Amino acid sequence: MICAIDSTHDPNLRSWVKSANQTDTDFPIQNLPFGVFQARGHAETPRIGVAIGDQILDLTACQQIGLLQELPESLKAACCASTLNPLMAMGRTASLSLRHHLSQLLRAEQAPPADGTILVSMSEAQLLLPATIGDYTDFYASIFHATNVGKLFRPDNPLLPNYKYVPIAYHGRASSIVPSGTPIKRPYGQQKQPKDSAPTFAPSQMLDYELEVGCFVGMGNELGDPIALDQSEDHLFGLCLVNDWSARDIQAWEYQPLGPFLSKSFATTISPWVVTLEALAPFRGSAFVRAVDDPPTLPYLMSSTNQHFGGIQLTLEVSLSSARMRQEKIAPLHLSRSEFQQMYWTVAQMLTHHTSNGCNLRPGDLFASGTISGSEAGTQGCLLELTQRGTQPLVLPTGEVRSFLVEGDEVTLRGYCEREGYIRIGIGKCQGIVDIRGQQRA
Ligand code: MN
């Protein structure tokens, strides 16, 4: 089922948290994304929070002063956990009723609780991974990315014959997923230049980012029980941003025949706030419109609901700043802008395909979309495409050039939804800096 638009999306709603009413905030009262935080400098247990303007609503503190009184016991307990997994496991009905409760609690017409301790300033909090991620899968759902990358390696035959039938993915590494802001060490690995007869083991010289959207699984499924396409979204909790850092030289040498391994598993950064599918309801639209001569989609990945509402109108952006740019106080350089609705496969199709062999997904599992690129210049979601495998370097405002990332480079991903008649919501940002200390070889 696709989430419905309701009173929580009313564009006239305002919050008693003033910063949530500013037009440029990612977190107005219509959004209400969930995350896990720790007050900076405190060793206290991580808590679940809801982003509202530049503040975090502390759900444990809310419960302590009785503000969650009306909720069922199991939902109250899930709100006071130290990860989102228990809340994710409860499914759509629970997250929808919690959303309505929080929306009421934060509305301007409510008197803010006299006790001010239910809000924590975002600037004073450390945002952690929102869930314990058991498994992580990375798809390859942008046909434009697949075609652009394919062209670099196989100019005559960029798209492999399975692409329009199978939502392609590889099994990623959950243990190396890190929250936004974590420095990324350049990996060592095997690489072989075309002129060389044998590979060397050396620091990657082709370190790249990938702009992706991540999907957190809500309610899981039993092993052996596939999820049908029209039930797929009942098992999706919400979205975040993902930077799938990639070492292109290591990848080129290792990827055949089983796909990426060490070229990706050294680090994956995710944004801290999970925007629920409920919050995204006003921004739904059709799935990508395929070319008339594309092959028909197999029935298990096809439904009229998915075709009409399976898409999400989400705009994504990437910017880059070098250490020197920050030193000289130069604003980050905008690198690309692309549309999530242009993905060849919808989030529902990815989830259904994932379980179609009976594979079980668990609450808190994460899958990512694959690099989100469009067909035009300025829509390419990674440096491999933007610089044509390094052959057309970017020039930064300082005059520095970049084929791939260097130490001190900071990559920022952002995502937001805008639609006439509704309040803009954002996913926030996903940031990572290439560690200036480099990687110490073992
Ligand atoms: Mn990827």
Side-chain angles (χ1 to χ4, degrees):
M1 229 175 59
I2 305 279
C3 292
I5 297 174
D6 61 31
S7 59
T8 64
H9 304 102
D10 182 344
N12 299 312
L13 292 183
R14 296 291 178 271
S15 175
W16 51 263
V17 180
K18 296 277 182 281
S19 57
N21 304 327
Q22 289 169 5
T23 50
D24 60 345
T25 182
D26 277 347
F27 310 119
I29 191 170
Q30 289 82 359
N31 192 347
L32 306 175
F34 295 96
V36 171
F37 73 99
Q38 226 167 358
R40 221 178 264 287
H42 288 67
E44 80 182 67
T45 315
R47 290 178 171 195
I48 294 176
V50 175
I52 180 82
D54 61 7
Q55 302 289 309
I56 301 170
L57 181 73
D58 178 342
L59 293 193
T60 303
C62 288
Q63 157 66 4
Q64 283 164 351
I65 62 165
L67 294 176
L68 305 182
Q69 212 51 52
E70 297 155 35
L71 300 176
E73 287 304 319
S74 56
L75 186 49
K76 265 190 276 193
C79 288
C80 297
S82 57
T83 69
L84 288 174
N85 299 65
L87 179 61
M88 289 167 163
M90 293 182 78
R92 183 104 295 132
T93 315
S95 51
L96 186 61
S97 68
L98 180 55
R99 176 179 171 82
H100 278 270
H101 188 78
L102 296 171
S103 175
Q104 288 290 345
L105 196 67
L106 287 163
R107 284 180 196 184
E109 56 268 29
Q110 298 287 325
D115 179 355
T117 56
I118 59 169
L119 290 183
V120 175
S121 169
M122 267 187 210
S123 61
E124 276 155 34
Q126 188 179 0
L127 290 156
L128 311 175
L129 288 180
T132 302
I133 301 168
D135 268 301
Y136 163 53
T137 302
D138 194 19
F139 281 87
Y140 196 53
S142 164
I143 194 169
F144 302 112
H145 171 68
T147 306
N148 292 344
V149 170
K151 267 183 201 156
L152 293 171
F153 296 92
R154 298 175 302 273
D156 310 331
N157 181 26
L159 212 56
L160 293 169
N162 58 5
Y163 191 85
K164 292 178 178 175
Y165 293 95
V166 189
I168 300 290
Y170 68 94
H171 205 94
R173 181 82 199 160
S175 68
S176 52
I177 298 176
V178 296
S180 181
T182 307
I184 303 302
K185 289 180 179 173
R186 177 183 299 275
Y188 270 73
Q190 281 197 30
Q191 45 202 279
K192 192 184 94 56
Q193 308 306 323
K195 60 176 174 33
D196 297 335
S197 58
T200 56
F201 183 75
S204 168
Q205 294 306 304
M206 298 173 87
L207 184 58
D208 200 356
Y209 62 84
E210 288 187 343
L211 163 67
E212 306 196 15
V213 164
C215 303
F216 273 104
V217 173
M219 202 167 53
N221 62 308
E222 292 298 320
L223 183 63
D225 284 350
I227 299 170
L229 187 60
D230 282 345
Q231 272 80 60
S232 191
E233 292 200 7
D234 298 344
H235 296 264
L236 270 176
F237 182 77
L239 307 187
C240 66
L241 296 165
V242 174
N243 183 342
D244 177 25
W245 304 94
S246 300
R248 301 302 185 189
D249 35 13
I250 301 172
Q251 186 179 356
W253 173 235
E254 76 171 3
Y255 89 104
Q256 288 177 314
L258 291 185
F261 179 35
L262 302 182
S263 55
K264 306 270 193 177
S265 62
F266 59 95
T268 305
T269 305
I270 65 171
S271 61
W273 296 109
V274 186
V275 173
T276 61
L277 286 203
E278 288 87 354
L280 292 164
F283 309 103
R284 303 306 301 264
S286 66
F288 178 68
V289 180
R290 300 181 176 194
V292 283
D293 55 350
D294 275 4
T297 307
L298 291 174
Y300 79 102
L301 290 176
M302 181 75 181
S303 83
S304 143
T305 306
N306 182 67
Q307 264 188 304
H308 291 105
F309 305 105
I312 301 172
Q313 289 185 345
L314 167 61
T315 303
L316 301 143
E317 293 183 0
V318 185
S319 63
L320 173 74
S321 83
S322 67
R324 204 173 124 197
M325 286 168 69
R326 292 192 300 281
Q327 206 170 29
E328 296 179 12
K329 307 215 182 311
I330 299 172
L333 177 68
H334 167 88
L335 296 186
S336 73
R337 180 176 294 117
S338 48
E339 295 296 330
F340 194 50
Q341 214 177 353
Q342 292 297 303
M343 301 300 265
Y344 199 79
W345 302 103
T346 63
V347 292
Q349 286 172 318
M350 288 186 247
L351 186 140
T352 286
H353 181 67
H354 205 313
T355 66
S356 62
N357 64 343
C359 174
N360 54 329
L361 298 177
R362 293 172 297 184
D365 281 1
L366 180 73
F367 66 86
S369 61
T371 307
I372 303 159
S373 297
S375 57
E376 290 153 28
T379 62
Q380 301 95 330
C382 62
L383 288 176
L384 179 68
E385 291 171 70
L386 275 172
T387 71
Q388 293 288 294
R389 210 182 184 181
T391 59
Q392 295 169 32
L394 301 171
V395 182
L396 307 186
T398 47
E400 299 169 280
V401 290
R402 287 291 182 278
S403 294
F404 289 97
L405 299 170
V406 310
E407 273 60 17
D409 283 356
E410 183 172 53
V411 178
T412 303
L413 315 181
R414 287 177 188 275
Y416 53 89
C417 299
E418 283 175 330
R419 188 174 207 167
E420 185 78 38
Y422 291 93
I423 298 289
R424 172 197 184 278
I425 64 169
I427 305 196
K429 58 186 180 180
C430 176
Q431 271 181 322
I433 190 162
V434 182
D435 199 327
I436 48 165
R437 292 166 298 176
Q439 169 79 293
Q440 294 303 309
R441 189 174 165 182

